[in-house]
């Protein structure tokens, strides 16, 4: 079975020697993972001194552009005002989506600036992976139910609820997913570990309930590298393989759904082709 996984955070060596792209690839080899989505480091985790003329998204692009095993998701520096241009740059670099973490990045899910990111991402056909679940930040700013507003206001924006709300907000995440069947997905990431990841523990039973309540086509496996090492990742894969679903469905969770999630909306694709054509035909504009 070919495994394609979402949600690997990667870092410059100076910032996190055990979280580099080359360590990620060793872990992928050890766990039998063919391809993965690497998330650019959050600005707070990026060493700008080392590479002063770049930013986390350009850095990620330069590291993975010739690598057929890695897809890339960019991040937004929410402290800056030019968030719309940042989304455009992620798109122009050819990255495949955006990772956002309201609790860690300290923005409210329904904040005006965040909405301008969603709007641009929707327009460009870029999907978003959101952290959900308790993460030592104001719950009222990142409450899982707020994603219902995102889904309603941005009908063509596809996004994952990573950790599916976690232990505390699983039911809320199911509510958002049941309410918005066309554009919401569940990030099956760090949900099988009762130890260090207990805030996001769901276990097989709840994951099977999630499939029953929503659809097996909406579950996407994620690694949470480097916070999870090879042992935890292998354990998660074996939990998914032990789910009470068909082999075909396991393949979907372990990669097929992710590929669909990253595909641009046909409509958006056509729109961007038309825009490109227009640029070719009327270069002066
Ligand atoms: Zn994460």
């Amino acid at each position: 079975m070919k495994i394609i996984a979402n949600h690997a955070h990667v870092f410059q060596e100076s910032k996190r020697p055990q979280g580099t792209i080359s360590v990620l690839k060793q872990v992928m080899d050890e766990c039998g993972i063919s391809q993965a989505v690497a998330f650019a480091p959050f600005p707070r985790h990026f060493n700008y001194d080392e590479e002063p003329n770049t930013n986390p998204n350009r850095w990620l692009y330069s590291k993975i552009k010739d690598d057929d095993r890695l897809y890339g998701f960019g991040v937004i520096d929410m402290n800056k005002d030019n968030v719309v241009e940042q989304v455009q740059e992620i798109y122009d670099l050819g990255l495949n989506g955006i990772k956002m973490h309201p609790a860690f990045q300290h923005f409210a899910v329904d904040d005006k600036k965040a909405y301008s990111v969603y709007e641009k991402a929707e327009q460009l056909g870029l999907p978003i992976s959101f952290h959900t679940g308790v993460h030592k930040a104001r719950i009222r700013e990142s409450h899982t139910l707020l994603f219902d507003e995102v889904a309603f206001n941005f009908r063509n924006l596809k996004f994952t609820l990573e950790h599916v709300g976690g232990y505390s907000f699983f039911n809320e995440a199911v509510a958002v997913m049941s309410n918005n069947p066309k554009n919401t997905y569940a990030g099956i990431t760090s949900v099988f570990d009762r130890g260090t990841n207990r805030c996001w523990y769901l276990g097989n039973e709840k994951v099977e309930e999630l499939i029953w309540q929503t659809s097996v086509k909406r579950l996407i496996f994620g690694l949470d590298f480097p916070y999870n090492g090879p042992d935890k990742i292998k354990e998660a894969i074996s939990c998914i393989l032990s789910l009470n679903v068909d082999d075909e469905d396991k393949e979907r969770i372990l990669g097929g759904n992710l590929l669909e999630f990253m595909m641009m909306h046909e409509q958006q694709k056509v729109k961007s082709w038309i825009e490109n054509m227009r640029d070719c035909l009327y270069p002066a504009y």
Side-chain angles (χ1 to χ4, degrees), residues 7 9 39 42 99 101 131 163 224 227:
H7 205 143
H9 296 270
F39 292 163
F42 289 115
K99 157 71 172 184
H101 197 320
H131 173 91
H163 321 298
D224 232 346
Y227 309 108

